[in-house]
Every structure is written in C-alpha cells, then in structure tokens.
Amino acid sequence: ALAGPRALNRRRPRRSEADRQGASARFLTAVGAATPSTSASSGGDAWKDLVDFDTFRWNGYSINYAVNKSRNPEALDVLLVHGFGASIGHFKKNIAELVAKGYNVHAIDLLGFGESEKPLGYSYTMEGWRDLLVSYVEEVALAPKGLVIAGNSIGSLATLLTAEALVGGPLQSRLKGVVLLNCAGGMNNAATLDDDWRVKLAYPIFALINALLSIKPVAQFLFDKIRDETFIENVLRSVYGNQDSVDQDLVDLILGPSFKPGALEAFVSILTGPPGPRPESAMPAIEAAGVPILILWGEEDPFTPMDGPVGKFFLDTLEPRSSAVTKRILPGTGHCPHDDRPEEVHEALLPWLAQL
C-alpha cells in the first residue's frame, strides 16, 4: 500500500498545469537537488557549490555530468550512477560527504534522464548505458589513483555491466571497487518474470500496460497521469523507509525532467524494451578479477526485496562464496538507501573506501 504524506509534506492542493510547468522550468535552470542536507552540506543547494557541471558527447548525444571542483590527485575517484527516473541531484547528500572526506566525485545523468539528452526514436538498453559509462571512464574519469563505481537500482546494474566490461579490457587496473545499492534485476520487470512469483502474478497487468504504451495517445495519457506531483510523492513514500527524506525537492527532482522533450519516449522504451542482462551474468568476470564489492541493501525495499531472486543472489549466494564481497543490510531503509538514510550508507561506505 502507498504510504500517506506526513510531517513537512502535508497534502498540498493539486497544482495546475501552469504551476507544474513552472516547477519544471525552475528545475531546468539548475540541476535538481534531492533532500535535506547532511552535516557536510549546509542548505539544500550548497552541494552545487562543490561541483562543476559539464557535458560530453557520446554517440552524438549530449550527456550531463558533475565533477567536484577541488581535485585531489592522490585520492580515489568515485563515480555515482542514479536509478530510474532520478538524476545527479539524487546523490546530493553523498556528493557533499565524499568531497568532505577528500574523494574525487563524479555523478552522471544517464541518457534519457535528468539534463542528458532524450533522443527521439532511441531504443534504450542496459548495454547502451553500459557503453556510455565505459566511454565516460575512458574520456572523463581518468582517475590516476583508481576508480570506484557506485550505482542504485538500474544504475547499480549498469555499474556491474560496466565493471564487467572494464575488467575485460585495458582499463582493468583503473577499477578499484564496485558499490551496489539495491541492484535491479533488469531494465524493467520482465527481467525476473521466470523466477519471481510476484512478477508472475502481476504479469497480466504488465502485459496490458505494455500493450497500451504501444498506442501513442494512450501512452501520453498514462504518462500525464504518472507525471503528477501527488502520484510521484506517493510512490516515493512507498519506496522510502525514512519518510522525512521525501520532500518537495525530491518530488521536483523526479517531476522536472519529465516535461522535457523525449521524456515520454524514454519512459515507454525503458518500460517495454528488453530487460537486458541479469546481474548474475556479470559476476564471474568481476569475481575472477578480484574486484572488491560492497553491497548495501535497504531491508524494506518493495522493488527488489531481500527475499526476491536478485536480493537472494547478492545477499545469500554471492557474499558467502566470495571473500571480495562485503554486505550490509540497512534496517528501516527502502529502495534508495543513499538518499533514504545517507548516514547509514556513509557509515558502511567510508571505511570500505578507506581500505581499498
């Protein structure tokens, strides 16, 4: 069930289309922030003073990224990869904390999200995002002391696929570690259709939605229903354990980019496209290379639950068999631990980074 609004997010009157477009315009003038700041950042947008925003070209498309201003040539680089519907600002709390601890921090808007391009007619795939991230590592994140890649949800799966590609090539020595925050099983729910009873049970609904999304006017109608402040807030509250982390800035972070050209087409392509490789398929190469892996899992995640096939693989199968894997289960935390309860994530992440 969807959780009702609490505390600072008391139910607000539904805003008009003009008001929502205004929220989008405000978002587009500055890359969105996420939620209330940690001790490393004073003020909602203070983290933006720590980074420079830029773009690079990948396959002819404009990709937005951020890198901290104060570079430390003796420190590790950390690349942050967001999940579905999110963007750079979702890592606001983590960027501030990592920069404060002396790390070089990168964050990227995947193609189709945030301020990155949303090309019409493009077929989104996990392999495409993998190739994008590999190019970023090759061209931007030079990381003389080594690179750690950390991702959430589909960003976590993209991180794994990127690590698999890197260990098979000349950049293997650059990769020093991988952090998985509630890794997704695929680009969409079709990935776990064969081994998750919940997905099997809901399959008729997914099939109907996919069929409806193939009809442009219907897809637009459904997208407009989803592209709604109240709807987004309720979804966020259902996947966050810490309700105080769901605020107006977080809602606007998700809502703003949905008004950009190409957002509808990206939404449809991602939901109806091939789910891509399962995370399990990337592990043999990464394990063989001995790459350290930190697994952080929100205990209350309804999207990739601990007792689902993906959660069981990472928490019950992978960690016991591999000495390179460290795991921590985060109580009272949902699908986006880094933003839901960042202090708990940092408590596990920072000591792990320090020993690499």
Side-chain angles (χ1 to χ4, degrees), residues 3-6 236-238 240-247 340-341:
R6 305 178 192 174
L236 288 167
R237 290 192 177 280
S238 75
Y240 271 58
N242 179 14
Q243 295 295 295
D244 289 340
S245 288
V246 180
D247 69 358
D340 192 338
R341 298 191 186 275

Side-chain angles (χ1 to χ4, degrees), residues 54-265:
D54 205 346
T55 60
F56 82 107
R57 305 296 294 183
W58 175 75
N59 285 1
Y61 304 123
S62 176
I63 305 300
N64 185 54
Y65 70 93
V67 181
N68 66 298
K69 294 177 179 178
S70 55
R71 307 287 295 161
N72 181 354
E74 299 302 316
L76 285 172
D77 285 48
V78 180
L79 171 59
L80 304 171
V81 187
H82 64 80
F84 179 76
S87 55
I88 290 170
H90 206 203
F91 287 108
K92 155 188 165 177
K93 302 167 185 176
N94 321 106
I95 291 171
E97 187 71 16
L98 288 166
V99 170
K101 293 299 186 290
Y103 293 101
N104 301 311
V105 183
H106 307 249
I108 190 169
D109 285 342
L110 294 173
L111 186 73
F113 295 110
E115 294 295 296
S116 287
E117 195 166 341
K118 300 163 184 61
L120 298 177
Y122 182 84
S123 295
Y124 291 86
T125 63
M126 291 306 311
E127 294 91 340
W129 287 324
R130 172 203 63 199
D131 294 346
L132 163 60
L133 291 173
V134 169
S135 293
Y136 183 84
V137 173
E138 291 174 340
E139 300 174 27
V140 182
L142 301 181
K145 292 298 180 179
L147 175 71
V148 172
I149 311 177
N152 171 230
S153 190
I154 58 171
S156 194
L157 177 54
T159 292
L160 270 184
L161 298 178
T162 302
E164 179 189 30
L166 292 176
V167 299
L171 297 179
Q172 176 172 334
S173 62
R174 190 180 299 178
L175 183 65
K176 301 302 182 184
V178 168
V179 182
L180 306 177
L181 298 150
N182 289 65
C183 186
M187 189 171 74
N188 50 49
N189 284 315
T192 55
L193 178 60
D194 293 334
D195 54 6
D196 191 331
W197 64 268
R198 285 163 287 230
V199 177
K200 286 183 179 179
L201 193 63
Y203 176 72
I205 298 174
F206 296 145
L208 174 61
I209 291 173
N210 284 0
L212 293 173
L213 288 176
S214 67
I215 306 169
K216 181 66 178 288
V218 177
Q220 184 69 65
F221 174 81
L222 293 174
F223 189 58
D224 288 340
K225 291 293 184 183
I226 293 170
R227 187 173 56 182
D228 172 82
E229 185 178 276
T230 301
F231 181 90
I232 290 172
E233 180 185 327
N234 282 335
V235 170
L236 288 167
R237 290 192 177 280
S238 75
V239 300
Y240 271 58
N242 179 14
Q243 295 295 295
D244 289 340
S245 288
V246 180
D247 69 358
Q248 187 63 51
D249 286 339
L250 178 58
V251 172
D252 287 344
L253 175 79
I254 307 299
L255 181 65
S258 70
F259 290 95
K260 298 196 74 174
L264 167 63
E265 290 76 10

Side-chain angles (χ1 to χ4, degrees), residues 266-336:
F267 173 79
V268 171
S269 177
I270 292 166
L271 288 190
T272 63
R278 285 281 292 261
E280 298 93 327
S281 69
M283 290 314 307
I286 298 172
E287 287 183 89
V291 177
I293 300 172
L294 176 63
I295 299 170
L296 301 176
W297 214 275
E299 187 177 40
E300 297 180 4
D301 183 359
F303 286 171
T304 49
M306 290 173 53
D307 64 348
V310 179
K312 284 182 176 179
F313 170 74
F314 282 112
L315 301 174
D316 300 336
T317 301
L318 180 63
E319 191 263 348
R321 83 184 186 199
S322 176
S323 61
V325 174
T326 303
K327 76 174 180 183
R328 177 169 304 182
I329 296 169
L330 305 174
T333 307
H335 187 62
C336 308

